[in-house]
Amino acid sequence: MISDAGDPALDERIQTLRTELDTAGLISMAPTLELAAAFHQAVPDDHDALAATISRLLEQTQSGDYAYYIDIATFMADLPLHTGHTPPHCLDGEQTTRSRWRTLVTTASTTFTITGRPPDLNIRLRPANTWCVRGPQLKE
């Protein structure tokens, strides 16, 4: 899915996977699918789809598991964190981490705009040195 980010044909695949995960009862995998969907939607800057995806992530991570996916999704989309959402504590600082995630999206978006095809990305889902933690403030 990541390699097809920005391709409108991917929307149907994402919806099919949501349905299949729900039917199979694999709810623990749903946040990962939504994170990939957020990347896909951030490439063409689809704010409506991103808002829906982030809303699903908020619901799916209420227990605290995968809550950092909300941070990553908002960083990729260059959106502010939701009110009431505990901000992450990033080792390199929030702005540096946000910039690294956003760079993945802008690189993919530029490629898609120039070629009209999804980017051929060889990326890791976690850029180097973007460690964030949830909870108490880190001590230096």
Side-chain angles (χ1 to χ4, degrees):
M1 284 181 43
I2 297 300
S3 64
D4 292 334
D7 185 344
L10 187 55
D11 293 330
E12 187 175 324
R13 283 178 40 205
I14 291 170
Q15 187 55 47
T16 299
L17 287 170
R18 282 183 185 127
T19 302
E20 289 175 356
L21 289 176
D22 187 51
T23 301
L26 298 171
I27 58 173
S28 65
M29 296 178 71
T32 303
L33 173 62
E34 296 303 335
L35 181 61
F39 179 74
H40 159 65
Q41 295 155 351
V43 169
D45 209 21
D46 186 345
H47 287 282
D48 292 337
L50 279 162
T53 295
I54 291 171
S55 179
R56 280 189 294 277
L57 274 170
L58 285 165
E59 284 180 32
Q60 295 167 351
T61 61
Q62 287 180 5
S63 69
D65 294 339
Y66 303 104
Y68 59 96
Y69 282 7
I70 297 165
D71 307 326
I72 294 169
T74 56
F75 291 171
M76 288 189 298
D78 200 24
L79 297 172
L81 292 172
H82 281 259
T83 304
H85 180 71
T86 305
H89 302 289
C90 304
L91 296 180
D92 289 339
E94 183 179 325
Q95 195 54 46
T96 299
T97 302
R98 175 182 287 274
S99 176
R100 287 180 178 144
W101 281 108
R102 185 65 185 158
T103 297
L104 288 175
V105 171
T106 56
T107 300
S109 180
T110 300
T111 302
F112 191 77
T113 301
I114 292 171
T115 66
R117 296 184 321 251
D120 181 17
L121 296 176
N122 182 15
I123 63 169
R124 297 176 296 171
L125 281 180
R126 185 190 52 79
N129 300 316
T130 58
W131 292 103
C132 294
V133 296
R134 307 214 50 85
Q137 179 70 33
L138 292 174
K139 304 289 186 222
E140 302 220 14

